[in-house]
Amino acid sequence: SGQSNSNNAAVGYYSLKAITTGGDNVAVGSQAGDSVTSGAQNTFLGKQAGQAVTTQSNNTFLGFNSGINQSGTANVAVGNHTMKNAVGDTNYSTAVGSGAMYSITTGDSNTAAGYQALKACTTTGDNVAIGKNALLVCETGGYNTAVGTNALDAVVDTNANVAIGAYTLGACTGGANTAIGYAALTANTSAANN
């Protein structure tokens, strides 16, 4: 058929339908990876997983709508609706858990593990969120680390916070704070450098 692709595997309605020169891709599910043309070494499992990937490589999207609008490189998303509204070039990020990194667009090198961890994250990078709703509304703040349920869940655009423990720095909107322990510095709102 004039295509120079090789070693691709596609199972499902329209999966890998646009492939031209890309190789070593695996797509299982209706419309999984259906826009890939020259991208290589991608793995898509689930309906519409990786649907917007075209020329990018080394992505793994597992779950219903996982990475559906993502067009970056070297990302891993596991769970329904992970990296779902990602309409940009996010690179080197990992999202595990339903709704994790749901809104990411161009932020790089983020790690989110847990239900809706880093859900509102859009253009920020270098954040680590582990736990249900960790860094939930963080949109543009970077270099934050949140470990625990609802840790740093109010941070929107501040940088360099560290929260370890459930509900730690839960109301925080200031930057450069460190809190360790259950609900530590929970009442801290806009104060910084603690």
PDB file of all heavy atoms in Angstrom, residues 44-70:
ATOM      1  N   PHE A  44      -0.973   2.243  23.157  1.00  0.00           N
ATOM      2  CA  PHE A  44      -2.284   2.794  23.503  1.00  0.00           C
ATOM      3  C   PHE A  44      -3.240   1.648  23.789  1.00  0.00           C
ATOM      4  O   PHE A  44      -3.407   0.761  22.957  1.00  0.00           O
ATOM      5  CB  PHE A  44      -2.848   3.625  22.349  1.00  0.00           C
ATOM      6  CG  PHE A  44      -1.888   4.643  21.794  1.00  0.00           C
ATOM      7  CD1 PHE A  44      -1.454   4.551  20.487  1.00  0.00           C
ATOM      8  CD2 PHE A  44      -1.421   5.680  22.576  1.00  0.00           C
ATOM      9  CE1 PHE A  44      -0.575   5.482  19.960  1.00  0.00           C
ATOM     10  CE2 PHE A  44      -0.549   6.615  22.062  1.00  0.00           C
ATOM     11  CZ  PHE A  44      -0.116   6.525  20.747  1.00  0.00           C
ATOM     12  N   LEU A  45      -3.878   1.672  24.944  1.00  0.00           N
ATOM     13  CA  LEU A  45      -4.836   0.638  25.302  1.00  0.00           C
ATOM     14  C   LEU A  45      -6.061   1.302  25.905  1.00  0.00           C
ATOM     15  O   LEU A  45      -5.974   1.943  26.951  1.00  0.00           O
ATOM     16  CB  LEU A  45      -4.221  -0.348  26.309  1.00  0.00           C
ATOM     17  CG  LEU A  45      -5.137  -1.422  26.862  1.00  0.00           C
ATOM     18  CD1 LEU A  45      -5.631  -2.324  25.736  1.00  0.00           C
ATOM     19  CD2 LEU A  45      -4.411  -2.256  27.902  1.00  0.00           C
ATOM     20  N   GLY A  46      -7.178   1.219  25.216  1.00  0.00           N
ATOM     21  CA  GLY A  46      -8.417   1.811  25.690  1.00  0.00           C
ATOM     22  C   GLY A  46      -9.049   2.654  24.602  1.00  0.00           C
ATOM     23  O   GLY A  46      -8.362   3.158  23.718  1.00  0.00           O
ATOM     24  N   LYS A  47     -10.360   2.808  24.669  1.00  0.00           N
ATOM     25  CA  LYS A  47     -11.066   3.596  23.673  1.00  0.00           C
ATOM     26  C   LYS A  47     -10.505   5.012  23.621  1.00  0.00           C
ATOM     27  O   LYS A  47     -10.404   5.686  24.638  1.00  0.00           O
ATOM     28  CB  LYS A  47     -12.562   3.648  23.975  1.00  0.00           C
ATOM     29  CG  LYS A  47     -13.343   4.427  22.933  1.00  0.00           C
ATOM     30  CD  LYS A  47     -14.830   4.435  23.206  1.00  0.00           C
ATOM     31  CE  LYS A  47     -15.549   5.206  22.102  1.00  0.00           C
ATOM     32  NZ  LYS A  47     -16.974   5.292  22.340  1.00  0.00           N
ATOM     33  N   GLN A  48     -10.102   5.458  22.461  1.00  0.00           N
ATOM     34  CA  GLN A  48      -9.577   6.791  22.167  1.00  0.00           C
ATOM     35  C   GLN A  48      -8.295   7.122  22.923  1.00  0.00           C
ATOM     36  O   GLN A  48      -7.903   8.283  23.010  1.00  0.00           O
ATOM     37  CB  GLN A  48     -10.643   7.854  22.414  1.00  0.00           C
ATOM     38  CG  GLN A  48     -11.852   7.687  21.526  1.00  0.00           C
ATOM     39  CD  GLN A  48     -12.985   8.632  21.870  1.00  0.00           C
ATOM     40  OE1 GLN A  48     -13.159   9.028  23.019  1.00  0.00           O
ATOM     41  NE2 GLN A  48     -13.766   8.985  20.867  1.00  0.00           N
ATOM     42  N   ALA A  49      -7.610   6.140  23.431  1.00  0.00           N
ATOM     43  CA  ALA A  49      -6.333   6.399  24.099  1.00  0.00           C
ATOM     44  C   ALA A  49      -5.332   6.913  23.070  1.00  0.00           C
ATOM     45  O   ALA A  49      -5.204   6.372  21.987  1.00  0.00           O
ATOM     46  CB  ALA A  49      -5.814   5.120  24.755  1.00  0.00           C
ATOM     47  N   GLY A  50      -4.646   7.998  23.394  1.00  0.00           N
ATOM     48  CA  GLY A  50      -3.632   8.555  22.504  1.00  0.00           C
ATOM     49  C   GLY A  50      -4.155   9.005  21.158  1.00  0.00           C
ATOM     50  O   GLY A  50      -3.413   9.031  20.170  1.00  0.00           O
ATOM     51  N   GLN A  51      -5.381   9.408  21.090  1.00  0.00           N
ATOM     52  CA  GLN A  51      -6.027   9.713  19.811  1.00  0.00           C
ATOM     53  C   GLN A  51      -5.375  10.870  19.053  1.00  0.00           C
ATOM     54  O   GLN A  51      -5.386  10.898  17.835  1.00  0.00           O
ATOM     55  CB  GLN A  51      -7.510   9.998  20.027  1.00  0.00           C
ATOM     56  CG  GLN A  51      -8.295  10.093  18.733  1.00  0.00           C
ATOM     57  CD  GLN A  51      -9.781  10.238  18.975  1.00  0.00           C
ATOM     58  OE1 GLN A  51     -10.213  10.836  19.937  1.00  0.00           O
ATOM     59  NE2 GLN A  51     -10.579   9.668  18.085  1.00  0.00           N
ATOM     60  N   ALA A  52      -4.782  11.853  19.726  1.00  0.00           N
ATOM     61  CA  ALA A  52      -4.218  13.023  19.049  1.00  0.00           C
ATOM     62  C   ALA A  52      -2.733  12.881  18.708  1.00  0.00           C
ATOM     63  O   ALA A  52      -2.159  13.727  18.045  1.00  0.00           O
ATOM     64  CB  ALA A  52      -4.428  14.275  19.889  1.00  0.00           C
ATOM     65  N   VAL A  53      -2.098  11.818  19.183  1.00  0.00           N
ATOM     66  CA  VAL A  53      -0.676  11.635  18.887  1.00  0.00           C
ATOM     67  C   VAL A  53      -0.511  11.448  17.380  1.00  0.00           C
ATOM     68  O   VAL A  53      -1.227  10.668  16.763  1.00  0.00           O
ATOM     69  CB  VAL A  53      -0.108  10.416  19.647  1.00  0.00           C
ATOM     70  CG1 VAL A  53       1.305  10.112  19.214  1.00  0.00           C
ATOM     71  CG2 VAL A  53      -0.178  10.660  21.145  1.00  0.00           C
ATOM     72  N   THR A  54       0.424  12.184  16.783  1.00  0.00           N
ATOM     73  CA  THR A  54       0.661  12.082  15.332  1.00  0.00           C
ATOM     74  C   THR A  54       2.093  11.660  15.029  1.00  0.00           C
ATOM     75  O   THR A  54       2.327  10.573  14.552  1.00  0.00           O
ATOM     76  CB  THR A  54       0.361  13.422  14.623  1.00  0.00           C
ATOM     77  OG1 THR A  54       1.144  14.453  15.229  1.00  0.00           O
ATOM     78  CG2 THR A  54      -1.111  13.776  14.702  1.00  0.00           C
ATOM     79  N   THR A  55       3.050  12.529  15.328  1.00  0.00           N
ATOM     80  CA  THR A  55       4.452  12.247  15.008  1.00  0.00           C
ATOM     81  C   THR A  55       5.275  11.959  16.263  1.00  0.00           C
ATOM     82  O   THR A  55       6.468  11.698  16.170  1.00  0.00           O
ATOM     83  CB  THR A  55       5.086  13.442  14.265  1.00  0.00           C
ATOM     84  OG1 THR A  55       5.017  14.595  15.115  1.00  0.00           O
ATOM     85  CG2 THR A  55       4.353  13.725  12.965  1.00  0.00           C
ATOM     86  N   GLN A  56       4.658  11.998  17.422  1.00  0.00           N
ATOM     87  CA  GLN A  56       5.378  11.831  18.679  1.00  0.00           C
ATOM     88  C   GLN A  56       5.632  10.356  18.970  1.00  0.00           C
ATOM     89  O   GLN A  56       4.943   9.489  18.470  1.00  0.00           O
ATOM     90  CB  GLN A  56       4.594  12.471  19.829  1.00  0.00           C
ATOM     91  CG  GLN A  56       4.388  13.959  19.676  1.00  0.00           C
ATOM     92  CD  GLN A  56       3.317  14.324  18.661  1.00  0.00           C
ATOM     93  OE1 GLN A  56       2.463  13.506  18.319  1.00  0.00           O
ATOM     94  NE2 GLN A  56       3.344  15.545  18.166  1.00  0.00           N
ATOM     95  N   SER A  57       6.635  10.125  19.818  1.00  0.00           N
ATOM     96  CA  SER A  57       7.045   8.751  20.111  1.00  0.00           C
ATOM     97  C   SER A  57       7.175   8.504  21.610  1.00  0.00           C
ATOM     98  O   SER A  57       7.204   9.437  22.411  1.00  0.00           O
ATOM     99  CB  SER A  57       8.397   8.467  19.440  1.00  0.00           C
ATOM    100  OG  SER A  57       8.289   8.592  18.048  1.00  0.00           O
ATOM    101  N   ASN A  58       7.261   7.239  21.952  1.00  0.00           N
ATOM    102  CA  ASN A  58       7.543   6.774  23.310  1.00  0.00           C
ATOM    103  C   ASN A  58       6.480   7.143  24.338  1.00  0.00           C
ATOM    104  O   ASN A  58       6.791   7.400  25.493  1.00  0.00           O
ATOM    105  CB  ASN A  58       8.917   7.287  23.767  1.00  0.00           C
ATOM    106  CG  ASN A  58      10.010   6.863  22.828  1.00  0.00           C
ATOM    107  OD1 ASN A  58      10.120   5.687  22.490  1.00  0.00           O
ATOM    108  ND2 ASN A  58      10.814   7.811  22.367  1.00  0.00           N
ATOM    109  N   ASN A  59       5.225   7.183  23.936  1.00  0.00           N
ATOM    110  CA  ASN A  59       4.121   7.429  24.858  1.00  0.00           C
ATOM    111  C   ASN A  59       3.434   6.122  25.221  1.00  0.00           C
ATOM    112  O   ASN A  59       3.345   5.216  24.389  1.00  0.00           O
ATOM    113  CB  ASN A  59       3.082   8.360  24.219  1.00  0.00           C
ATOM    114  CG  ASN A  59       3.574   9.773  24.079  1.00  0.00           C
ATOM    115  OD1 ASN A  59       3.835  10.435  25.071  1.00  0.00           O
ATOM    116  ND2 ASN A  59       3.715  10.238  22.847  1.00  0.00           N
ATOM    117  N   THR A  60       2.928   6.060  26.444  1.00  0.00           N
ATOM    118  CA  THR A  60       2.119   4.928  26.881  1.00  0.00           C
ATOM    119  C   THR A  60       0.848   5.484  27.506  1.00  0.00           C
ATOM    120  O   THR A  60       0.911   6.186  28.523  1.00  0.00           O
ATOM    121  CB  THR A  60       2.867   4.060  27.907  1.00  0.00           C
ATOM    122  OG1 THR A  60       4.086   3.588  27.327  1.00  0.00           O
ATOM    123  CG2 THR A  60       2.018   2.881  28.348  1.00  0.00           C
ATOM    124  N   PHE A  61      -0.292   5.230  26.882  1.00  0.00           N
ATOM    125  CA  PHE A  61      -1.580   5.694  27.380  1.00  0.00           C
ATOM    126  C   PHE A  61      -2.495   4.492  27.564  1.00  0.00           C
ATOM    127  O   PHE A  61      -2.876   3.847  26.592  1.00  0.00           O
ATOM    128  CB  PHE A  61      -2.213   6.703  26.427  1.00  0.00           C
ATOM    129  CG  PHE A  61      -1.437   7.982  26.279  1.00  0.00           C
ATOM    130  CD1 PHE A  61      -1.101   8.473  25.033  1.00  0.00           C
ATOM    131  CD2 PHE A  61      -1.039   8.697  27.398  1.00  0.00           C
ATOM    132  CE1 PHE A  61      -0.381   9.654  24.893  1.00  0.00           C
ATOM    133  CE2 PHE A  61      -0.325   9.878  27.277  1.00  0.00           C
ATOM    134  CZ  PHE A  61       0.002  10.362  26.023  1.00  0.00           C
ATOM    135  N   LEU A  62      -2.857   4.195  28.817  1.00  0.00           N
ATOM    136  CA  LEU A  62      -3.683   3.046  29.141  1.00  0.00           C
ATOM    137  C   LEU A  62      -4.920   3.494  29.895  1.00  0.00           C
ATOM    138  O   LEU A  62      -4.811   4.079  30.975  1.00  0.00           O
ATOM    139  CB  LEU A  62      -2.905   2.042  30.004  1.00  0.00           C
ATOM    140  CG  LEU A  62      -1.514   1.634  29.523  1.00  0.00           C
ATOM    141  CD1 LEU A  62      -0.839   0.720  30.545  1.00  0.00           C
ATOM    142  CD2 LEU A  62      -1.600   0.947  28.179  1.00  0.00           C
ATOM    143  N   GLY A  63      -6.095   3.278  29.313  1.00  0.00           N
ATOM    144  CA  GLY A  63      -7.347   3.640  29.962  1.00  0.00           C
ATOM    145  C   GLY A  63      -8.249   4.412  29.027  1.00  0.00           C
ATOM    146  O   GLY A  63      -7.786   5.051  28.082  1.00  0.00           O
ATOM    147  N   PHE A  64      -9.520   4.393  29.295  1.00  0.00           N
ATOM    148  CA  PHE A  64     -10.521   5.094  28.489  1.00  0.00           C
ATOM    149  C   PHE A  64     -10.184   6.584  28.426  1.00  0.00           C
ATOM    150  O   PHE A  64     -10.002   7.238  29.437  1.00  0.00           O
ATOM    151  CB  PHE A  64     -11.905   4.889  29.116  1.00  0.00           C
ATOM    152  CG  PHE A  64     -13.011   5.616  28.416  1.00  0.00           C
ATOM    153  CD1 PHE A  64     -13.551   5.122  27.241  1.00  0.00           C
ATOM    154  CD2 PHE A  64     -13.510   6.800  28.924  1.00  0.00           C
ATOM    155  CE1 PHE A  64     -14.582   5.789  26.592  1.00  0.00           C
ATOM    156  CE2 PHE A  64     -14.541   7.475  28.295  1.00  0.00           C
ATOM    157  CZ  PHE A  64     -15.071   6.971  27.118  1.00  0.00           C
ATOM    158  N   ASN A  65     -10.048   7.136  27.223  1.00  0.00           N
ATOM    159  CA  ASN A  65      -9.720   8.546  26.981  1.00  0.00           C
ATOM    160  C   ASN A  65      -8.378   8.971  27.563  1.00  0.00           C
ATOM    161  O   ASN A  65      -8.113  10.163  27.709  1.00  0.00           O
ATOM    162  CB  ASN A  65     -10.803   9.482  27.525  1.00  0.00           C
ATOM    163  CG  ASN A  65     -12.061   9.494  26.700  1.00  0.00           C
ATOM    164  OD1 ASN A  65     -13.104   9.895  27.175  1.00  0.00           O
ATOM    165  ND2 ASN A  65     -12.008   9.075  25.454  1.00  0.00           N
ATOM    166  N   SER A  66      -7.517   8.056  27.875  1.00  0.00           N
ATOM    167  CA  SER A  66      -6.209   8.396  28.412  1.00  0.00           C
ATOM    168  C   SER A  66      -5.378   9.077  27.327  1.00  0.00           C
ATOM    169  O   SER A  66      -5.179   8.549  26.254  1.00  0.00           O
ATOM    170  CB  SER A  66      -5.508   7.125  28.896  1.00  0.00           C
ATOM    171  OG  SER A  66      -4.224   7.413  29.378  1.00  0.00           O
ATOM    172  N   GLY A  67      -4.912  10.285  27.594  1.00  0.00           N
ATOM    173  CA  GLY A  67      -4.102  11.017  26.624  1.00  0.00           C
ATOM    174  C   GLY A  67      -4.816  11.321  25.326  1.00  0.00           C
ATOM    175  O   GLY A  67      -4.176  11.498  24.291  1.00  0.00           O
ATOM    176  N   ILE A  68      -6.134  11.435  25.355  1.00  0.00           N
ATOM    177  CA  ILE A  68      -6.925  11.583  24.122  1.00  0.00           C
ATOM    178  C   ILE A  68      -6.513  12.801  23.294  1.00  0.00           C
ATOM    179  O   ILE A  68      -6.504  12.745  22.077  1.00  0.00           O
ATOM    180  CB  ILE A  68      -8.441  11.619  24.426  1.00  0.00           C
ATOM    181  CG1 ILE A  68      -9.254  11.634  23.131  1.00  0.00           C
ATOM    182  CG2 ILE A  68      -8.793  12.794  25.302  1.00  0.00           C
ATOM    183  CD1 ILE A  68     -10.746  11.494  23.336  1.00  0.00           C
ATOM    184  N   ASN A  69      -6.126  13.913  23.934  1.00  0.00           N
ATOM    185  CA  ASN A  69      -5.741  15.114  23.201  1.00  0.00           C
ATOM    186  C   ASN A  69      -4.251  15.431  23.299  1.00  0.00           C
ATOM    187  O   ASN A  69      -3.808  16.490  22.899  1.00  0.00           O
ATOM    188  CB  ASN A  69      -6.544  16.317  23.715  1.00  0.00           C
ATOM    189  CG  ASN A  69      -8.019  16.169  23.415  1.00  0.00           C
ATOM    190  OD1 ASN A  69      -8.394  15.841  22.306  1.00  0.00           O
ATOM    191  ND2 ASN A  69      -8.858  16.399  24.409  1.00  0.00           N
ATOM    192  N   GLN A  70      -3.481  14.548  23.845  1.00  0.00           N
ATOM    193  CA  GLN A  70      -2.066  14.768  24.092  1.00  0.00           C
ATOM    194  C   GLN A  70      -1.232  14.613  22.827  1.00  0.00           C
ATOM    195  O   GLN A  70      -1.451  13.709  22.045  1.00  0.00           O
ATOM    196  CB  GLN A  70      -1.570  13.786  25.149  1.00  0.00           C
ATOM    197  CG  GLN A  70      -0.154  13.958  25.574  1.00  0.00           C
ATOM    198  CD  GLN A  70       0.198  15.369  25.951  1.00  0.00           C
ATOM    199  OE1 GLN A  70       0.885  16.044  25.218  1.00  0.00           O
ATOM    200  NE2 GLN A  70      -0.282  15.837  27.086  1.00  0.00           N
TER     201      GLN A  70
END
